[in-house]
């Protein structure tokens, strides 16, 4: 519990019970979650608005990263400390919600997209991981 309080304090966030619970869950699960998923998990302890505010705060303080989905939802996952990896595209398993970092897109390919401001961090490919596919 102290570990999670320290992480929040390092990022300039006052730790409280709800924030610590959400951070601990995201850290230990190593998966991406939508607002609805997290609200369902914590509905006995906090309302939807509280969960939403925590997710937004963690995103603003660079603890979480938003990943857009093909269904229009946003998923939230822990942001890696490696700046290069955090800007890489991601793969999300539609079954278990595990998120993996993909290799960077080739510079040659990105150069063909002249005139377009593309943020590789928001690119998310969805499918099924090897554990869920078998």
């Amino acid at each position: 519990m102290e570990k999670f309080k320290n992480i929040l304090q390092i990022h300039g966030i006052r730790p409280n019970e709800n924030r610590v619970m959400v951070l601990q869950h995201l850290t230990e699960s190593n998966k991406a979650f939508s607002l609805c998923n997290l609200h369902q998990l914590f509905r006995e302890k906090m309302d939807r608005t509280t969960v939403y505010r925590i997710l937004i705060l963690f995103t603003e303080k660079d603890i979480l990263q938003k990943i857009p989905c093909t269904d229009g939802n946003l998923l939230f996952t822990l942001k890696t400390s490696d700046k290069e990896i955090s800007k890489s595209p991601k793969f999300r398993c539609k079954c278990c919600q595990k998120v993996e970092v993909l290799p960077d897109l080739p510079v040659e390919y990105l150069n063909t997209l002249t005139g377009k401001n593309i943020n590789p961090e928001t690119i998310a490919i969805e499918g099924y991981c090897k554990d869920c596919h078998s």
Side-chain angles (χ1 to χ4, degrees), residues 67-70 89-92 102 120-126:
I67 299 174
C69 296
T70 55
K90 309 295 183 292
F91 169 80
R92 178 184 72 91
L102 297 173
E121 184 177 341
T122 61
I123 296 173
I125 297 172
E126 297 176 329

Side-chain angles (χ1 to χ4, degrees), residues 18-58:
N18 291 341
R19 293 171 180 167
V20 170
M21 277 191 306
V22 171
L23 180 61
Q24 182 175 4
H25 182 74
L26 288 166
T27 302
E28 291 174 353
S29 67
N30 194 31
K31 295 181 180 179
F33 292 91
S34 68
L35 170 61
C36 292
N37 296 141
L38 288 171
H39 177 245
Q40 286 298 323
L41 288 168
F42 297 115
R43 70 175 180 253
E44 300 293 322
K45 299 187 183 226
M46 57 186 108
D47 62 24
R48 184 180 175 95
T49 303
T50 301
V51 176
Y52 176 75
R53 288 181 180 156
I54 291 170
L55 293 174
I56 296 304
L57 176 64
F58 286 5

Side-chain angles (χ1 to χ4, degrees), residues 1-8 20 23-24 27-28:
M1 197 65 81
E2 284 302 312
K3 169 184 159 182
F4 301 108
K5 287 181 181 178
N6 289 337
I7 291 170
L8 292 174
V20 170
L23 180 61
Q24 182 175 4
T27 302
E28 291 174 353

Side-chain angles (χ1 to χ4, degrees), residues 55-130:
L55 293 174
I56 296 304
L57 176 64
F58 286 5
T59 302
E60 289 171 351
K61 296 290 187 170
D62 280 337
I63 294 174
L64 296 182
Q65 176 176 340
K66 290 188 262 186
I67 299 174
C69 296
T70 55
D71 62 5
N73 284 322
L74 283 176
L75 295 178
F76 296 85
T77 188
L78 287 176
K79 201 169 198 179
T80 178
S81 60
D82 185 337
K83 298 261 186 230
E84 294 305 310
I85 291 176
S86 71
K87 296 202 178 287
S88 298
K90 309 295 183 292
F91 169 80
R92 178 184 72 91
C93 178
K94 289 173 134 182
C95 183
C96 70
Q97 305 300 318
K98 185 175 183 180
V99 174
E100 297 175 20
V101 176
L102 297 173
D104 286 337
L105 296 170
V107 174
E108 298 81 24
Y109 176 74
L110 292 173
N111 288 340
T112 66
L113 304 173
T114 56
K116 295 173 182 64
N117 186 6
I118 295 181
N119 180 0
E121 184 177 341
T122 61
I123 296 173
I125 297 172
E126 297 176 329
Y128 296 93
C129 68
K130 63 181 178 180

